[in-house]
Amino acid sequence: MRANRKLWAAATVCVAVVAGVTGCSQGDDKAADPFAGLTADAIAKKSIDTTKAATAFRMNGVGKADGEETTVDFAVDDKGNCQGTMTTPKGGKAEMLATGGTSYMKGDDAFWSGTGEESGADEMAKAVKGRWMKMPAGAGEDEDDFCDLKKIVKDMEEDTPTKGLTREADADVDGTPTAVLSKKEKGETTTFYVAKDSAKPYILRVVTTGGDDPGTVTLSDFGKAVTVTAPPASEVVDMEELMKGAS
């Protein structure tokens, strides 16, 4: 499951987000607008460069792929630490964390049942039995991407438009004033919200409506280190050992 890029590239507005984002006038006071005189494209480029330089952030999102909804909520930093949760279209939930070059995943039965063929998924659930599955670095591309800050921001840069944008009416995101930029292309509208901060114009929210994969992603806690403690050995199942036993 490529949660980070799928959600970033395909963000959408849900009812709660629409209700919580309050529009406000940009006004004529240029001193209050750190982006006065900049085009929407220039603001987008500035925000991407700033967000790319973040040493850590929290990412919360909901998106659809092929009509099925997935949610993620996790924090990640540039030291390889990551901690969060995800839910799957079938209602399953999994916790994920990474530290010291090793990733761990702990899913409920509904999560494992959606990972493959029913018989194999049942065997996996029985083998794990509510414990953490240990996954060495490189064991799974999607899991590695989920907890790799550099890969996340690289995907973000590739998937965020920087040309042909229009600046809309300003809005607030969780109480922070933002400049709102949007682009419509091939039946899909991408909108993202940039903090009106001359020093740190982070991207705070990305939304896509229409298209095949609508969803929304919100970023917060920029620069906040992620403290992760590996689970005790008694609560861990080694994926490599499971694979050997299955062969």
Side-chain angles (χ1 to χ4, degrees):
M1 178 182 298
R2 195 172 178 81
N4 50 52
R5 183 166 186 173
K6 181 64 69 176
L7 286 175
W8 188 272
T12 192
V13 182
C14 62
V15 175
V17 172
V18 173
V21 178
T22 305
C24 59
S25 172
Q26 294 182 30
D28 296 323
D29 185 4
K30 293 185 178 181
D33 185 356
F35 306 132
L38 295 180
T39 65
D41 292 357
I43 297 171
K45 180 64 168 59
K46 186 178 182 68
S47 68
I48 291 173
D49 289 344
T50 301
T51 306
K52 281 172 55 182
T55 57
F57 54 68
R58 178 181 177 186
M59 187 174 185
N60 179 286
V62 56
K64 289 186 177 180
D66 300 324
E68 297 187 327
E69 185 174 281
T70 298
T71 67
V72 296
D73 184 1
F74 67 98
V76 59
D77 67 21
D78 61 358
K79 295 180 174 59
N81 297 307
C82 170
Q83 188 165 5
T85 62
M86 68 165 63
T87 62
T88 65
K90 294 185 178 181
K93 182 176 181 178
E95 298 175 68
M96 294 186 69
L97 60 85
T99 185
T102 302
S103 299
Y104 302 85
M105 177 182 288
K106 182 179 181 181
D108 58 19
D109 289 345
F111 175 82
W112 293 119
S113 69
T115 60
E117 296 183 2
E118 185 174 351
S119 59
D122 289 343
E123 290 300 317
M124 178 67 75
K126 291 178 181 178
V128 177
K129 296 180 180 178
R131 292 175 291 176
W132 292 90
M133 179 182 288
K134 177 182 177 181
M135 299 175 292
E141 179 183 353
D142 293 340
E143 289 77 10
D144 290 345
D145 286 355
F146 190 88
C147 288
D148 189 317
L149 182 65
K150 290 183 179 180
K151 289 182 180 179
I152 293 172
V153 295
K154 180 180 179 181
D155 288 342
M156 176 199 70
E157 182 178 21
E158 292 176 353
D159 296 328
T160 303
T162 57
K163 294 182 179 181
L165 288 154
T166 299
R167 183 169 180 179
E168 310 291 352
D170 291 353
D172 284 358
V173 172
D174 297 330
T176 299
T178 66
V180 182
L181 314 175
S182 69
K183 181 176 182 178
K184 297 181 180 180
E185 187 175 22
K186 298 180 180 179
E188 182 177 275
T189 300
T190 300
T191 306
F192 63 104
Y193 301 75
V194 179
K196 292 180 67 176
D197 185 325
S198 59
K200 298 179 179 180
Y202 290 119
I203 297 173
L204 300 185
R205 179 168 290 156
V206 178
V207 172
T208 296
T209 56
D212 297 328
D213 302 306
T216 191
V217 170
T218 299
L219 299 180
S220 61
D221 293 345
F222 293 96
K224 184 177 180 179
V226 182
T227 301
V228 180
T229 301
S234 60
E235 298 179 12
V236 174
V237 176
D238 194 311
M239 187 179 74
E240 292 182 335
E241 294 301 320
L242 284 180
M243 296 300 291
K244 290 178 181 178
S247 61

